[in-house]
Amino acid sequence: MSLAYDVVVVGAGVVGLACAARLAARGLRTLVVERHATFGQETSSRNSEVVHAGIYYPEGSLKARLCVAGNRSLYAWCDARGVATARTGKLIVATSAREEPELERIFARATANGVPGLAWVERAELARRYPRLVASRAISSPTTGIVDGHGLMASLAAAARDGGADFAYRHALVALARESEGWRVELRDPTGEPVALRAARVVNAAGLASDAVAALAGIDVDEAGYRLTWVKGSYFRLRAPGLVDTLVYPVPPPDLRGLGVHVTLDLAGGLRLGPDVEVLAARVADYRVPDEARDAFFAAASTYLRGLFLDDLTPDQAGIRPKLLRPGGAVADFVIAEESARGLPGLVSLIGIESPGLTSALEIAREVDARLSA
Protein backbone atom coordinates (compact mmCIF):
# COMPACT_ATOMS: atom_id res chain seq x y z
CA MET A 1 0.00 0.00 0.00
CA SER A 2 1.30 3.44 -0.93
CA LEU A 3 1.74 5.72 2.06
CA ALA A 4 0.70 8.98 0.37
CA TYR A 5 -2.79 9.74 -0.90
CA ASP A 6 -4.74 12.65 -2.26
CA VAL A 7 -7.73 11.68 -0.11
CA VAL A 8 -8.34 9.33 2.79
CA VAL A 9 -12.01 8.47 3.37
CA VAL A 10 -12.68 7.22 6.90
CA GLY A 11 -15.60 4.80 6.88
CA ALA A 12 -16.93 2.33 4.30
CA GLY A 13 -20.64 2.78 4.81
CA VAL A 14 -22.78 3.78 1.86
CA VAL A 15 -21.78 7.46 2.15
CA GLY A 16 -18.05 6.78 2.46
CA LEU A 17 -18.23 4.44 -0.54
CA ALA A 18 -20.11 7.04 -2.59
CA CYS A 19 -17.46 9.63 -1.71
CA ALA A 20 -14.65 7.25 -2.65
CA ALA A 21 -16.29 6.37 -5.96
CA ARG A 22 -16.75 10.01 -6.92
CA LEU A 23 -13.30 11.19 -5.83
CA ALA A 24 -11.48 8.27 -7.41
CA ALA A 25 -13.39 8.80 -10.66
CA ARG A 26 -11.84 12.21 -11.07
CA GLY A 27 -8.33 10.87 -10.66
CA LEU A 28 -7.63 11.46 -6.97
CA ARG A 29 -5.53 8.77 -5.30
CA THR A 30 -8.03 7.58 -2.74
CA LEU A 31 -7.83 5.28 0.27
CA VAL A 32 -10.86 4.02 2.20
CA VAL A 33 -10.12 3.13 5.82
CA GLU A 34 -12.60 0.83 7.56
CA ARG A 35 -12.27 -0.83 10.96
CA HIS A 36 -14.56 -3.73 10.03
CA ALA A 37 -13.76 -6.66 7.73
CA THR A 38 -15.83 -5.29 4.85
CA PHE A 39 -18.12 -2.43 3.90
CA GLY A 40 -21.49 -1.54 5.36
CA GLN A 41 -21.34 -3.29 8.71
CA GLU A 42 -23.18 -0.69 10.77
CA THR A 43 -25.96 1.79 9.96
CA SER A 44 -25.83 1.26 6.18
CA SER A 45 -26.82 -2.42 6.41
CA ARG A 46 -29.33 -2.18 9.26
CA ASN A 47 -32.16 -0.03 8.00
CA SER A 48 -35.37 -0.15 5.96
CA GLU A 49 -33.56 0.14 2.59
CA VAL A 50 -36.12 2.78 1.62
CA VAL A 51 -35.46 5.21 -1.22
CA HIS A 52 -37.01 8.30 0.31
CA ALA A 53 -38.62 11.13 -1.63
CA GLY A 54 -37.72 14.12 0.62
CA ILE A 55 -41.13 14.64 2.18
CA TYR A 56 -40.57 15.44 5.83
CA TYR A 57 -37.52 17.67 6.06
CA PRO A 58 -37.57 21.48 6.46
CA GLU A 59 -37.52 23.45 3.22
CA GLY A 60 -33.97 24.44 2.25
CA SER A 61 -32.31 21.93 4.58
CA LEU A 62 -29.57 19.63 3.34
CA LYS A 63 -31.79 16.66 4.13
CA ALA A 64 -34.59 18.02 1.95
CA ARG A 65 -32.42 19.17 -0.94
CA LEU A 66 -30.10 16.16 -1.09
CA CYS A 67 -32.90 13.63 -0.60
CA VAL A 68 -35.03 15.02 -3.43
CA ALA A 69 -32.02 15.03 -5.76
CA GLY A 70 -30.78 11.71 -4.38
CA ASN A 71 -34.06 9.97 -5.14
CA ARG A 72 -33.42 10.63 -8.83
CA SER A 73 -29.68 9.98 -8.86
CA LEU A 74 -29.90 6.78 -6.80
CA TYR A 75 -32.49 5.19 -9.08
CA ALA A 76 -30.41 6.23 -12.12
CA TRP A 77 -27.22 4.74 -10.63
CA CYS A 78 -28.97 1.48 -9.76
CA ASP A 79 -30.70 1.22 -13.15
CA ALA A 80 -27.37 1.71 -14.93
CA ARG A 81 -25.56 -0.91 -12.83
CA GLY A 82 -28.18 -3.58 -12.36
CA VAL A 83 -28.78 -2.94 -8.65
CA ALA A 84 -32.27 -4.10 -7.71
CA THR A 85 -34.86 -1.47 -6.78
CA ALA A 86 -38.65 -1.44 -6.62
CA ARG A 87 -40.69 1.72 -6.96
CA THR A 88 -43.29 0.52 -4.49
CA GLY A 89 -44.73 3.92 -3.66
CA LYS A 90 -45.72 4.99 -0.18
CA LEU A 91 -48.80 6.06 1.74
CA ILE A 92 -48.70 8.38 4.76
CA VAL A 93 -52.02 7.80 6.48
CA ALA A 94 -54.15 9.82 8.85
CA THR A 95 -56.24 7.48 10.95
CA SER A 96 -58.83 10.12 11.82
CA ALA A 97 -59.82 13.72 11.09
CA ARG A 98 -57.73 14.73 14.10
CA GLU A 99 -54.51 13.82 12.25
CA GLU A 100 -55.47 15.40 8.93
CA PRO A 101 -54.19 18.94 9.70
CA GLU A 102 -50.70 17.51 10.28
CA LEU A 103 -51.02 15.55 7.06
CA GLU A 104 -51.85 18.83 5.29
CA ARG A 105 -48.71 20.40 6.73
CA ILE A 106 -46.62 17.44 5.55
CA PHE A 107 -48.07 17.75 2.05
CA ALA A 108 -47.28 21.48 1.96
CA ARG A 109 -43.71 20.90 3.16
CA ALA A 110 -43.11 18.13 0.63
CA THR A 111 -44.49 20.29 -2.18
CA ALA A 112 -42.19 23.14 -1.14
CA ASN A 113 -39.28 20.68 -1.23
CA GLY A 114 -40.08 19.81 -4.83
CA VAL A 115 -41.13 16.21 -4.24
CA PRO A 116 -42.75 15.06 -7.50
CA GLY A 117 -45.98 13.15 -8.04
CA LEU A 118 -47.62 13.62 -4.65
CA ALA A 119 -51.37 13.02 -4.57
CA TRP A 120 -54.18 12.83 -2.07
CA VAL A 121 -55.98 9.51 -1.59
CA GLU A 122 -59.40 9.87 -0.02
CA ARG A 123 -61.28 7.55 2.33
CA ALA A 124 -63.38 5.78 -0.30
CA GLU A 125 -60.41 4.90 -2.49
CA LEU A 126 -58.39 3.79 0.51
CA ALA A 127 -61.22 1.50 1.62
CA ARG A 128 -61.48 0.03 -1.87
CA ARG A 129 -57.77 -0.51 -2.53
CA TYR A 130 -56.52 -1.18 1.01
CA PRO A 131 -59.39 -2.69 3.00
CA ARG A 132 -57.19 -3.48 6.00
CA LEU A 133 -55.99 0.10 6.44
CA VAL A 134 -57.57 2.29 9.09
CA ALA A 135 -57.31 5.63 7.31
CA SER A 136 -59.44 8.69 6.72
CA ARG A 137 -57.05 10.22 4.20
CA ALA A 138 -53.52 9.61 2.90
CA ILE A 139 -50.70 11.14 0.90
CA SER A 140 -49.40 8.98 -1.95
CA SER A 141 -45.71 9.30 -2.88
CA PRO A 142 -45.06 7.31 -6.07
CA THR A 143 -41.29 7.94 -6.17
CA THR A 144 -40.64 6.32 -2.77
CA GLY A 145 -39.32 2.78 -3.09
CA ILE A 146 -36.80 0.24 -1.85
CA VAL A 147 -33.27 -0.73 -2.88
CA ASP A 148 -30.92 -3.64 -2.40
CA GLY A 149 -28.63 -1.86 0.04
CA HIS A 150 -25.86 -4.45 -0.14
CA GLY A 151 -25.97 -4.42 -3.94
CA LEU A 152 -25.78 -0.64 -3.93
CA MET A 153 -22.72 -0.63 -1.67
CA ALA A 154 -21.04 -3.37 -3.70
CA SER A 155 -21.55 -1.29 -6.86
CA LEU A 156 -20.07 1.80 -5.21
CA ALA A 157 -17.07 -0.17 -3.91
CA ALA A 158 -16.53 -1.59 -7.39
CA ALA A 159 -16.73 1.87 -8.94
CA ALA A 160 -14.20 3.18 -6.42
CA ARG A 161 -11.80 0.33 -7.23
CA ASP A 162 -12.29 0.90 -10.95
CA GLY A 163 -11.16 4.47 -10.31
CA GLY A 164 -8.01 3.22 -8.59
CA ALA A 165 -9.08 3.50 -4.94
CA ASP A 166 -7.44 1.31 -2.31
CA PHE A 167 -9.28 -0.21 0.66
CA ALA A 168 -7.80 -0.83 4.10
CA TYR A 169 -10.26 -3.10 5.88
CA ARG A 170 -9.67 -4.14 9.51
CA HIS A 171 -7.68 -0.95 9.98
CA ALA A 172 -8.63 1.27 12.92
CA LEU A 173 -7.94 5.00 12.87
CA VAL A 174 -5.96 5.93 15.98
CA ALA A 175 -4.62 9.44 15.24
CA LEU A 176 -5.25 12.28 12.82
CA ALA A 177 -3.05 15.36 12.80
CA ARG A 178 -2.79 18.42 10.57
CA GLU A 179 0.72 19.00 9.24
CA SER A 180 2.25 21.66 7.02
CA GLU A 181 1.44 19.85 3.77
CA GLY A 182 -1.66 17.89 4.65
CA TRP A 183 -2.65 15.25 7.18
CA ARG A 184 -0.82 12.55 9.05
CA VAL A 185 -3.10 9.55 9.40
CA GLU A 186 -2.18 6.83 11.87
CA LEU A 187 -3.84 3.43 11.73
CA ARG A 188 -3.61 0.11 13.54
CA ASP A 189 -3.56 -2.87 11.19
CA PRO A 190 -5.27 -6.24 11.85
CA THR A 191 -2.22 -7.53 13.74
CA GLY A 192 -2.13 -4.46 15.98
CA GLU A 193 0.87 -2.93 14.24
CA PRO A 194 0.92 0.83 13.55
CA VAL A 195 0.65 2.17 10.00
CA ALA A 196 1.33 5.84 9.23
CA LEU A 197 0.48 7.62 6.00
CA ARG A 198 -0.07 11.10 4.64
CA ALA A 199 -3.06 12.54 2.84
CA ALA A 200 -3.70 15.92 1.32
CA ARG A 201 -7.38 15.67 2.34
CA VAL A 202 -9.48 13.61 4.74
CA VAL A 203 -13.21 12.84 4.54
CA ASN A 204 -14.74 11.87 7.88
CA ALA A 205 -17.56 9.51 6.86
CA ALA A 206 -17.33 7.40 9.99
CA GLY A 207 -21.04 7.30 10.78
CA LEU A 208 -21.57 6.23 14.39
CA ALA A 209 -17.96 7.19 15.18
CA SER A 210 -17.85 10.42 13.17
CA ASP A 211 -17.83 12.63 16.28
CA ALA A 212 -14.96 10.57 17.70
CA VAL A 213 -13.02 11.00 14.45
CA ALA A 214 -13.70 14.75 14.56
CA ALA A 215 -12.28 14.78 18.09
CA LEU A 216 -9.16 12.94 16.89
CA ALA A 217 -8.66 15.74 14.36
CA GLY A 218 -8.71 18.30 17.17
CA ILE A 219 -12.32 19.51 17.04
CA ASP A 220 -14.13 20.24 20.30
CA VAL A 221 -17.25 18.24 19.42
CA ASP A 222 -19.38 19.86 22.11
CA GLU A 223 -18.46 23.39 21.07
CA ALA A 224 -19.01 22.45 17.41
CA GLY A 225 -22.35 20.77 18.10
CA TYR A 226 -21.04 17.48 16.73
CA ARG A 227 -21.79 15.27 19.74
CA LEU A 228 -23.88 12.32 18.53
CA THR A 229 -26.66 10.43 20.25
CA TRP A 230 -26.98 6.77 19.34
CA VAL A 231 -30.59 5.82 18.69
CA LYS A 232 -31.54 2.17 18.25
CA GLY A 233 -34.38 1.10 15.99
CA SER A 234 -35.76 -2.44 16.06
CA TYR A 235 -37.86 -4.22 13.45
CA PHE A 236 -40.39 -7.03 13.56
CA ARG A 237 -41.18 -9.30 10.63
CA LEU A 238 -44.88 -9.25 9.79
CA ARG A 239 -46.53 -12.48 8.66
CA ALA A 240 -49.59 -11.08 6.91
CA PRO A 241 -49.59 -12.13 3.24
CA GLY A 242 -51.25 -9.72 0.86
CA LEU A 243 -51.75 -7.06 3.51
CA VAL A 244 -50.42 -4.17 1.38
CA ASP A 245 -48.35 -3.74 -1.77
CA THR A 246 -46.92 -0.34 -0.83
CA LEU A 247 -45.03 1.21 2.08
CA VAL A 248 -47.37 2.53 4.79
CA TYR A 249 -46.35 5.22 7.28
CA PRO A 250 -48.37 6.83 10.05
CA VAL A 251 -48.34 10.58 10.65
CA PRO A 252 -44.94 11.09 12.34
CA PRO A 253 -44.26 12.85 15.63
CA PRO A 254 -43.46 16.57 15.26
CA ASP A 255 -39.84 16.23 16.46
CA LEU A 256 -39.07 13.74 13.65
CA ARG A 257 -36.89 11.62 15.93
CA GLY A 258 -38.44 8.80 13.94
CA LEU A 259 -41.18 8.44 11.35
CA GLY A 260 -43.35 6.18 13.49
CA VAL A 261 -43.53 2.39 13.35
CA HIS A 262 -44.30 1.82 9.68
CA VAL A 263 -44.75 -1.04 7.21
CA THR A 264 -41.95 -1.60 4.73
CA LEU A 265 -41.55 -4.15 1.97
CA ASP A 266 -38.40 -6.00 1.03
CA LEU A 267 -37.45 -6.99 -2.50
CA ALA A 268 -38.76 -10.53 -1.90
CA GLY A 269 -42.19 -9.14 -1.01
CA GLY A 270 -41.86 -9.66 2.73
CA LEU A 271 -43.22 -7.15 5.24
CA ARG A 272 -41.55 -5.57 8.25
CA LEU A 273 -42.69 -3.22 10.97
CA GLY A 274 -40.31 -0.59 12.32
CA PRO A 275 -38.17 0.97 13.36
CA ASP A 276 -39.04 2.21 16.81
CA VAL A 277 -36.94 4.83 18.61
CA GLU A 278 -34.79 3.86 21.61
CA VAL A 279 -32.28 6.48 22.74
CA LEU A 280 -29.24 4.61 24.06
CA ALA A 281 -27.76 5.86 27.30
CA ALA A 282 -24.45 4.16 26.49
CA ARG A 283 -22.79 3.85 23.10
CA VAL A 284 -22.94 0.07 22.93
CA ALA A 285 -23.73 -1.64 19.64
CA ASP A 286 -26.44 -3.98 20.91
CA TYR A 287 -28.44 -5.28 17.96
CA ARG A 288 -30.72 -7.66 19.86
CA VAL A 289 -34.46 -7.28 19.25
CA PRO A 290 -36.25 -8.03 22.52
CA ASP A 291 -39.31 -10.22 22.10
CA GLU A 292 -41.04 -8.20 24.81
CA ALA A 293 -41.18 -5.24 22.43
CA ARG A 294 -43.74 -7.16 20.37
CA ASP A 295 -46.69 -5.72 22.32
CA ALA A 296 -45.63 -2.13 21.64
CA PHE A 297 -45.12 -2.80 17.94
CA PHE A 298 -48.47 -4.55 17.71
CA ALA A 299 -50.22 -1.65 19.43
CA ALA A 300 -48.53 0.93 17.16
CA ALA A 301 -49.33 -0.93 13.94
CA SER A 302 -52.88 -1.72 14.99
CA THR A 303 -53.74 1.99 15.00
CA TYR A 304 -53.67 1.95 11.19
CA LEU A 305 -53.91 -1.78 10.30
CA ARG A 306 -56.95 -3.86 11.14
CA GLY A 307 -57.03 -7.62 11.59
CA LEU A 308 -53.51 -8.06 12.96
CA PHE A 309 -52.74 -10.77 15.49
CA LEU A 310 -49.90 -10.64 17.99
CA ASP A 311 -48.51 -13.89 16.60
CA ASP A 312 -48.13 -12.22 13.19
CA LEU A 313 -45.05 -10.42 14.56
CA THR A 314 -41.61 -12.03 15.00
CA PRO A 315 -38.35 -10.27 15.93
CA ASP A 316 -36.25 -9.28 12.92
CA GLN A 317 -33.23 -6.93 12.95
CA ALA A 318 -32.12 -3.75 14.68
CA GLY A 319 -30.00 -0.81 13.62
CA ILE A 320 -28.38 2.16 15.33
CA ARG A 321 -28.57 5.69 13.92
CA PRO A 322 -26.12 8.54 14.64
CA LYS A 323 -28.49 11.39 15.51
CA LEU A 324 -27.67 15.01 16.18
CA LEU A 325 -30.23 16.11 18.76
CA ARG A 326 -30.59 19.80 19.53
CA PRO A 327 -31.86 21.33 22.82
CA GLY A 328 -35.50 20.43 23.19
CA GLY A 329 -35.03 17.14 21.35
CA ALA A 330 -35.35 18.36 17.75
CA VAL A 331 -33.31 16.46 15.17
CA ALA A 332 -30.65 18.54 13.42
CA ASP A 333 -29.81 18.70 9.74
CA PHE A 334 -26.89 16.86 8.18
CA VAL A 335 -23.50 18.46 8.84
CA ILE A 336 -21.27 18.61 5.75
CA ALA A 337 -18.45 20.94 6.74
CA GLU A 338 -15.04 21.73 5.32
CA GLU A 339 -13.09 22.64 8.43
CA SER A 340 -10.74 25.42 7.27
CA ALA A 341 -12.52 27.86 9.59
CA ARG A 342 -11.36 25.68 12.50
CA GLY A 343 -7.77 25.74 11.23
CA LEU A 344 -8.13 22.28 9.70
CA PRO A 345 -8.06 22.77 5.92
CA GLY A 346 -8.64 19.69 3.82
CA LEU A 347 -10.87 17.97 6.39
CA VAL A 348 -14.53 17.46 5.54
CA SER A 349 -16.75 16.38 8.43
CA LEU A 350 -19.92 14.39 7.79
CA ILE A 351 -21.81 14.34 11.07
CA GLY A 352 -25.31 13.09 11.85
CA ILE A 353 -25.66 11.26 8.54
CA GLU A 354 -28.66 9.08 9.26
CA SER A 355 -31.89 8.76 7.28
CA PRO A 356 -32.17 9.86 4.49
CA GLY A 357 -28.43 9.26 4.15
CA LEU A 358 -28.75 6.14 2.01
CA THR A 359 -31.03 7.91 -0.48
CA SER A 360 -28.79 10.98 -0.42
CA ALA A 361 -25.44 9.18 -0.62
CA LEU A 362 -24.52 10.19 -4.18
CA GLU A 363 -25.55 13.79 -3.53
CA ILE A 364 -23.61 13.92 -0.26
CA ALA A 365 -20.57 12.75 -2.26
CA ARG A 366 -21.19 15.56 -4.73
CA GLU A 367 -21.25 18.07 -1.85
CA VAL A 368 -18.03 16.65 -0.41
CA ASP A 369 -16.32 16.90 -3.79
CA ALA A 370 -17.41 20.53 -4.12
CA ARG A 371 -16.06 21.40 -0.70
CA LEU A 372 -12.73 19.71 -1.34
CA SER A 373 -12.44 21.49 -4.68
CA ALA A 374 -13.30 24.97 -3.39
Side-chain angles (χ1 to χ4, degrees), residues 18 28 49 97 113 115 117 127 136 145 153 157 175 182 190 208 211 246 248 260 289 295 313 327 347:
L28 297 177
E49 296 185 305
N113 288 345
V115 178
S136 63
M153 288 188 283
L208 293 171
D211 56 349
T246 188
V248 181
V289 179
D295 289 347
L313 281 66
L347 172 66

Side-chain angles (χ1 to χ4, degrees), residues 35-366:
R35 61 186 174 180
H36 293 295
T38 188
F39 58 75
Q41 295 300 291
E42 295 182 353
T43 305
S44 295
S45 60
R46 294 176 171 273
N47 56 68
S48 304
E49 296 185 305
V50 170
V51 182
H52 288 286
I55 290 170
Y56 302 99
Y57 316 108
E59 183 181 2
S61 66
L62 284 171
K63 287 184 177 180
R65 180 167 62 82
L66 301 184
C67 186
V68 171
N71 180 277
R72 296 188 296 269
S73 61
L74 188 68
Y75 280 133
W77 175 279
C78 292
D79 290 347
R81 290 161 178 82
V83 178
T85 61
R87 291 163 172 81
T88 58
K90 165 179 168 175
L91 294 175
I92 308 172
V93 300
T95 59
S96 67
R98 180 176 54 84
E99 291 184 334
E100 290 183 19
E102 182 59 26
L103 205 62
E104 294 270 5
R105 285 189 284 272
I106 291 170
F107 192 96
R109 186 183 308 136
T111 300
N113 288 345
V115 178
L118 296 176
W120 287 105
V121 187
E122 304 299 341
R123 185 191 297 267
E125 185 178 356
L126 288 166
R128 178 178 60 82
R129 292 179 57 194
Y130 303 101
R132 290 182 63 178
L133 281 185
V134 180
S136 63
R137 204 179 191 201
I139 298 170
S140 170
S141 169
T143 61
T144 303
I146 52 177
V147 63
D148 173 3
H150 183 273
L152 171 62
M153 288 188 283
S155 74
L156 290 165
R161 286 195 180 92
D162 287 347
D166 292 328
F167 284 76
Y169 289 121
R170 299 191 186 90
H171 280 68
L173 179 69
V174 295
L176 191 56
R178 178 68 197 177
E179 296 184 333
S180 58
E181 296 184 359
W183 290 86
R184 178 179 173 84
V185 181
E186 296 183 16
L187 311 174
R188 186 170 57 247
D189 76 10
T191 70
E193 291 298 310
V195 177
L197 56 93
R198 284 178 170 79
R201 310 167 185 89
V202 174
V203 177
N204 173 9
L208 293 171
S210 56
D211 56 349
V213 170
L216 280 180
I219 296 173
D220 183 329
V221 295
D222 292 308
E223 182 275 332
Y226 288 179
R227 180 77 64 184
L228 292 170
T229 298
W230 283 19
V231 175
K232 181 178 178 180
S234 296
Y235 295 82
F236 275 73
R237 184 65 56 175
L238 183 57
R239 294 186 301 224
L243 177 63
V244 290
D245 60 2
T246 188
L247 311 181
V248 181
Y249 284 57
V251 172
D255 63 10
L256 291 180
R257 284 199 183 195
L259 298 180
V261 170
H262 46 268
V263 180
T264 60
L265 295 157
D266 61 31
L267 289 165
L271 299 175
R272 284 190 302 183
L273 291 173
D276 62 352
V277 174
E278 179 188 351
V279 177
L280 299 180
R283 288 170 54 146
V284 176
D286 178 3
Y287 294 113
R288 293 173 296 175
V289 179
D291 189 68
E292 55 268 27
R294 185 197 314 253
D295 289 347
F297 274 74
F298 175 75
S302 294
T303 62
Y304 59 90
L305 292 172
R306 59 172 57 90
L308 286 184
F309 296 93
L310 193 59
D311 288 344
D312 290 334
L313 281 66
T314 56
D316 192 63
Q317 69 167 4
I320 299 174
R321 292 157 277 176
K323 284 191 179 288
L324 279 174
L325 298 180
R326 296 308 187 213
V331 179
D333 199 5
F334 292 153
V335 170
I336 305 176
E338 199 282 329
E339 302 289 7
S340 289
R342 301 183 194 278
L344 301 171
L347 172 66
V348 174
S349 298
L350 302 176
I351 312 290
I353 309 296
E354 48 148 350
S355 182
L358 185 150
T359 304
S360 306
L362 295 168
E363 301 305 316
I364 294 171
R366 188 187 304 274

